[in-house]
Amino acid sequence: MNGSYSPSPVSLQYTAPPEDLRNHFGSLYLFRSDLPEYSDVTRADFAQLRLMLTGNGNYYFSDGNVRPTPGACLLGPTQGATRFHLHAPAMVVGISLLPLGWIALTGLDADDYTDGLADMTSISEEYSELQDELRASGASDAAAVGAIIWPFLRTRLTEISGHVRQFLDDVDQWLAGDESPQVDALAEKTNLSPRQVARLTNRYYGAAPKQLARKFRALRCAAKIAIDQTPWQELCDDSTFYDQSHFIREIKHFIGLTPHQLMTSPTEVARLTLQRRELLHNAAPIQRIS
């Protein structure tokens, strides 16, 4: 199933990955801005592979780090909302990398790239060739772009051992199975010590369990506010947040908008990003809660 949403002059199209890749990747998206300058904010998220077909810009990470985007950008997992600024009209192809996809595609430790980025051509020059192929193809919708990218990525995934896959499944189920995941429950589920669990979640998810629990709690609440129109005060009362001030700070940190803004006046990218949930009924569980 494909989704296409094109309010001018900014548009965002999504398409789901092939079934055999749904544990490796989230949705593929095609972003366009026809404006000479454009700024917006994206929520804390999984790692991303982004190919700038036109345009250029900067990322402003939650820790204050500012980085120009490479043409072939490997964006690490983000643990806070990230602002971007485009300096010219742009067309960008992006794919969410789930933890299994991250390790199978890059082999890198995710925590070395948390709230940061790398030039994907430093891993392989083939990504420059992929950019050139996409530009030359004239593909103008997400499905056509996917027909080029998915076969490319499929052949570049390394095999991941069963025990690593089991750990990732355990963490995904832990994050997806509770409104406010408890760290002790993950150690019990994996039969590992808290120190071992933290080492592995940092490596594969880019953060320790407590930070992951905060992040996905905020993402889950934000979706309920923006999509289900659940009053944020009700979510605050029913959750493990200390009080309303704590709730607002957490949503602002991970989403980049206050609960009130999410419900009444989301930014263009925030509004368009919500549309991808229509694609997620067959997605990996960890993808559906984000």
Side-chain angles (χ1 to χ4, degrees):
M1 176 182 177
N2 296 330
S4 177
Y5 309 89
S6 304
S8 182
V10 176
S11 67
L12 190 58
Q13 299 177 15
Y14 286 102
T15 188
E19 186 173 355
D20 66 309
L21 296 179
R22 287 181 181 175
N23 289 323
H24 290 80
F25 303 107
S27 51
L28 179 150
Y29 48 93
L30 182 62
F31 171 83
R32 285 192 186 88
S33 169
D34 297 327
L35 298 169
E37 300 273 339
Y38 182 72
S39 293
D40 212 322
V41 66
T42 60
R43 66 192 178 177
D45 210 339
F46 297 105
Q48 310 284 318
L49 171 62
R50 290 178 179 160
L51 304 173
M52 302 287 292
L53 303 188
T54 61
N56 59 83
N58 292 333
Y59 287 109
Y60 299 79
F61 295 100
S62 60
D63 63 359
N65 189 23
V66 181
R67 298 285 301 277
T69 182
C73 179
L74 179 65
L75 187 68
T78 48
Q79 302 303 326
T82 302
R83 180 162 291 279
F84 67 90
H85 183 86
L86 295 169
H87 304 299
M91 181 162 68
V92 184
V93 176
I95 300 173
S96 297
L97 303 184
L98 303 183
L100 179 62
W102 170 274
I103 193 66
L105 190 66
T106 73
L108 300 170
D109 285 1
D111 55 337
D112 289 338
Y113 297 87
T114 296
D115 292 317
L117 55 79
D119 187 337
M120 199 65 179
T121 61
S122 66
I123 296 175
S124 172
E125 280 295 330
E126 293 176 317
Y127 287 90
S128 288
E129 298 170 9
L130 176 62
Q131 277 182 286
D132 292 340
E133 182 179 356
L134 288 167
R135 289 170 179 146
S137 73
S140 59
D141 63 77
V145 169
I148 296 171
I149 289 185
W150 297 127
F152 174 92
L153 294 177
R154 186 181 281 113
T155 62
R156 285 156 181 81
L157 296 173
T158 60
E159 187 61 35
I160 302 302
S161 68
H163 73 272
V164 171
R165 282 177 173 265
Q166 183 60 59
F167 178 78
L168 298 179
D169 285 345
D170 287 343
V171 177
D172 287 357
Q173 291 173 18
W174 171 70
L175 288 169
D178 196 311
E179 294 290 318
S180 183
Q182 300 301 302
V183 175
D184 290 346
L186 180 58
E188 182 177 347
K189 184 177 185 64
T190 58
N191 199 29
L192 297 171
S193 71
R195 180 174 294 181
Q196 289 173 310
V197 169
R199 178 177 61 83
L200 292 173
T201 60
N202 272 296
R203 180 180 180 187
Y204 299 131
Y205 292 78
K210 184 176 180 180
Q211 180 74 1
L212 289 176
R214 287 179 57 208
K215 173 179 172 177
F216 281 91
R217 178 180 62 177
L219 293 175
R220 183 184 277 109
C221 287
K224 290 181 178 180
I225 292 168
I227 298 172
D228 302 332
Q229 293 293 294
T230 303
W232 68 267
Q233 295 90 344
E234 179 182 316
L235 290 174
C236 182
D237 292 341
D238 293 343
S239 68
T240 57
F241 296 92
Y242 300 128
D243 51 32
Q244 288 192 359
S245 294
H246 180 223
F247 184 91
I248 293 169
R249 286 196 305 272
E250 289 286 278
I251 298 299
K252 176 71 171 179
H253 173 76
F254 288 104
I255 310 302
L257 301 170
T258 66
H260 180 74
Q261 288 172 323
L262 263 178
M263 182 167 280
T264 62
S265 55
T267 66
E268 193 73 356
V269 165
R271 185 183 66 79
L272 293 168
T273 300
L274 295 173
Q275 310 300 331
R276 77 171 184 166
R277 290 180 66 87
E278 295 183 11
L279 304 176
L280 299 183
H281 56 287
N282 290 324
I286 192 66
Q287 179 79 350
R288 291 198 295 270
I289 66 172
S290 67

